[in-house]
Amino acid sequence: MHIADIMREDSPTFSFEFFPPKTPAAAETLYQTIRDLESYMPDFISVTYGAGGSTRDLTHNLVERIQHTTKLDPIPHLTCVCHNEKEVEDILLRYAKSAIGNVLALGGDRPQDIPYDKSRDSFQHAIDLVKFIRRFNKSGAHPDPRGFGIGVAGFPEGHPATPNRLIEMDHFKAKVSAGADYIVTQLFFDNRDFFDFRERCALADIHVPIIAGIMPVTSMSGLKRIAELAGGARFPAKLLRALQRCENDPESVGRVGVHFALEQCHDLLDNNVAGIHFYTLNRSDATRIIFDSLGIPRRRKARAPLV
């Protein structure tokens, strides 16, 4: 289903993000997680993309398996890193053949384990990828006449590569205007950052839906991993203080993290968020607890498949 159809509904969307497994054992864990969360019928799930080709085939396989064997609506990531136009066109054709409705166009992380020269990439920035997908949509290769719905990343705390926040918003405005249909934000822990970002988007005449990215802290090691993944996420003193009180009790740390994320979600819903996107790290426990606590009904009516 095209993202424009999903976002047209009155209620906010709820969605999950997964990353492709790297081993058979991880694959079984992931598919169990997907089965655990399928009964909630999220509006969509997104699947991450490995830098430099490390998990790209796994992404394609996982997306197609989800599309063909579950009732879930997958949104695959596409990145600029280590890609030429022919490769991206082939991926888009593959996804169009499987009636994938949407993609998320990202700059992507630099690969850590292989030599990398950004100047060799056909797409230097996410805006170039957005423009390419928009041109592809006009080719008529997708079964939906509108082509793919296109999402882009937003950064409530600011893009780490552009410290000048005025220039950053100019770049972001150009990226959205190039053809984005929706925005999914980087994770954040202070809702004031999200609300301010949403207001700055409105001032910049950006009016596509903005979906808030939430990642519950489930362990102290996970906290450090989040700090690394997010490239400078701010952790409010309130959260750090609560975690420090119980840092030697893993179960309590998980409860604190879930409670904090739950409070974030309540506040976002009270302030008319367009959607909430949960970064699951391929685990369902915390997400299920938050869903149940928010009173989100299970087994929403399954959407009709795109034909």
Side-chain angles (χ1 to χ4, degrees), residues 6-304:
I6 298 172
M7 303 303 299
R8 203 175 288 141
E9 299 182 359
D10 295 333
S11 59
T13 62
F14 295 95
S15 51
F16 313 129
E17 178 170 293
F18 300 102
F19 58 85
K22 295 182 179 180
T23 67
E28 288 309 309
T29 299
L30 175 57
Y31 295 133
Q32 183 58 53
T33 296
I34 291 173
R35 285 193 294 269
D36 289 345
L37 294 174
E38 186 177 5
S39 65
Y40 289 96
M41 284 308 297
D43 293 277
F44 64 88
I45 64 173
S46 70
V47 183
T48 65
Y49 209 55
S54 60
T55 62
R56 285 178 173 174
D57 284 339
L58 289 170
T59 292
H60 305 324
N61 295 338
L62 178 60
V63 166
E64 290 178 324
R65 181 172 182 181
I66 293 169
Q67 175 77 349
H68 297 308
T69 66
T70 77
K71 297 178 181 178
L72 300 172
D73 189 10
I75 297 183
H77 291 200
L78 276 177
T79 69
C80 299
V81 173
C82 300
H83 260 325
N84 59 46
E85 292 189 358
K86 178 63 166 57
E87 290 170 338
V88 171
E89 183 179 25
D90 288 345
I91 294 168
L92 292 174
L93 286 168
R94 178 175 176 177
Y95 285 153
K97 185 177 180 180
S98 291
I100 304 297
N102 307 277
V103 294
L104 193 58
L106 306 170
D109 300 323
R110 296 178 64 94
Q112 301 298 316
D113 53 353
I114 60 173
Y116 173 61
D117 180 1
K118 182 177 173 62
S119 66
R120 297 171 65 95
D121 291 340
S122 294
F123 309 98
Q124 289 296 297
H125 302 284
I127 185 174
D128 304 316
L129 189 54
V130 171
K131 290 177 178 178
F132 184 84
I133 300 168
R134 188 59 70 188
R135 290 197 299 272
F136 178 90
N137 285 347
K138 294 179 181 178
S139 71
H142 198 285
D144 187 321
R146 298 167 295 184
F148 290 102
I150 304 173
V152 295
F155 297 83
E157 298 176 355
H159 196 292
T162 313
N164 185 321
R165 297 300 170 226
L166 297 179
I167 293 177
E168 176 203 29
M169 187 52 69
D170 289 342
H171 290 170
F172 188 66
K173 165 69 173 176
K175 179 171 70 172
V176 174
S177 297
D181 299 298
Y182 63 101
I183 298 162
V184 181
T185 76
Q186 175 66 280
L187 62 92
F188 59 90
F189 293 96
D190 190 332
N191 284 4
R192 290 175 298 181
D193 288 323
F194 175 81
F195 296 138
D196 182 73
F197 172 71
R198 188 171 65 175
E199 188 172 356
R200 284 185 287 119
C201 285
L203 290 171
D205 201 28
I206 297 171
H207 300 295
V208 301
I210 304 174
I211 299 170
I214 296 294
M215 181 183 285
V217 175
T218 56
S219 66
M220 296 307 293
S221 61
L223 179 73
K224 295 174 182 177
R225 185 180 182 190
I226 290 169
E228 186 68 29
L229 288 173
R234 287 196 291 271
F235 298 96
K238 177 182 177 182
L239 172 60
L240 294 175
R241 187 181 302 113
L243 290 170
Q244 286 175 1
R245 290 194 191 107
C246 59
E247 59 183 335
N248 295 320
D249 181 352
E251 190 173 322
S252 295
V253 167
R255 284 199 297 266
V256 166
V258 167
H259 177 73
F260 191 90
L262 180 60
E263 287 190 328
Q264 280 190 272
C265 292
H266 277 302
D267 185 41
L268 290 167
L269 293 171
D270 288 344
N271 285 277
N272 302 312
V273 70
I276 299 176
H277 188 62
F278 292 97
Y279 295 104
T280 68
L281 294 179
N282 286 15
R283 297 180 61 84
S284 65
D285 301 12
T287 305
R288 285 191 292 106
I289 293 170
I290 293 170
F291 256 54
D292 290 337
S293 299
L294 287 173
I296 301 167
R298 285 192 181 220
R299 302 197 182 281
R300 293 179 171 193
K301 183 178 179 182
R303 303 182 189 281

